[in-house]
Amino acid sequence: MLDAATKAEFDQQFRAVQVLYFAMLASLAGYLVIGLVLGSARTPSVAASSPTVRVFYLLSIGLIVAALLVKKRLVRPVPPGSSQAEIKRSLGSFRSGHLVSYILCEGIGLLGLLALFLGGSRTQFINLVVVAFALMFLLRPKRIDSSTS
């Protein structure tokens, strides 16, 4: 059972993570707008099967795996009967785990934008940004304090 002060701290951490989440979603939307506006007049100069595009897709796969692993390892529920030190450590890793996983998702969107400006197609850009949005949705913040009442 969590005491009132720890529960209040968890609620504060959860709100901070939600603010970070929506800020990162907004920046991904910004990348989408930038790419669509600035990339509309461009003609793709890189073929869909070029090594540059493959590298961006491989890097994106690596970022996806890394984001999922970071969230799985750092964001864990507070086990019942935990000491105050364990609870504090869990609360700290809750925010940092989400932040790192969102930064990795953001990297996928940046790779899409970079691919577009390096001559990739609009479709390749949109594919990477959609993957970033989907991963952000999968990694959205959820309450992990199953032991509270």
Side-chain angles (χ1 to χ4, degrees):
M1 227 42 186
L2 297 179
D3 62 352
T6 305
K7 183 154 176 47
E9 185 178 345
F10 176 77
D11 289 339
Q12 180 184 8
Q13 293 284 343
F14 186 75
R15 282 190 298 276
V17 168
Q18 283 182 320
V19 168
L20 288 170
Y21 176 74
F22 289 115
M24 294 295 223
L25 280 177
S27 68
L28 275 175
Y31 297 158
L32 185 62
V33 169
I34 289 169
L36 292 176
V37 169
L38 296 179
S40 63
R42 310 183 103 239
T43 56
S45 61
V46 177
S49 62
S50 75
T52 306
V53 173
R54 285 189 202 143
V55 167
F56 285 138
Y57 281 125
L58 286 174
L59 285 172
S60 295
I61 291 169
L63 289 174
I64 291 168
V65 170
L68 292 171
L69 286 176
V70 163
K71 175 129 187 226
K72 183 177 180 179
R73 302 241 182 222
L74 289 180
V75 180
R76 287 185 237 136
V78 178
S82 298
S83 69
Q84 283 297 104
E86 291 172 359
I87 292 171
K88 296 287 184 191
R89 187 172 47 246
S90 181
L91 288 175
S93 68
F94 177 78
R95 186 161 87 178
S96 61
H98 278 94
L99 179 62
V100 170
S101 62
Y102 297 156
I103 289 171
L104 293 170
C105 293
E106 197 80 14
I108 297 168
L110 282 172
L111 283 174
L113 197 59
L114 184 62
L116 180 69
F117 290 136
L118 290 178
S121 73
R122 197 176 206 186
T123 305
Q124 294 161 350
F125 162 68
I126 291 173
N127 285 342
L128 289 173
V129 172
V130 166
V131 166
F133 272 115
L135 190 58
M136 286 286 289
F137 177 75
L138 287 174
L139 299 176
R140 68 192 178 278
K142 298 175 191 120
R143 293 201 177 264
I144 60 169
D145 59 340
S146 59
S147 63
T148 60
S149 295

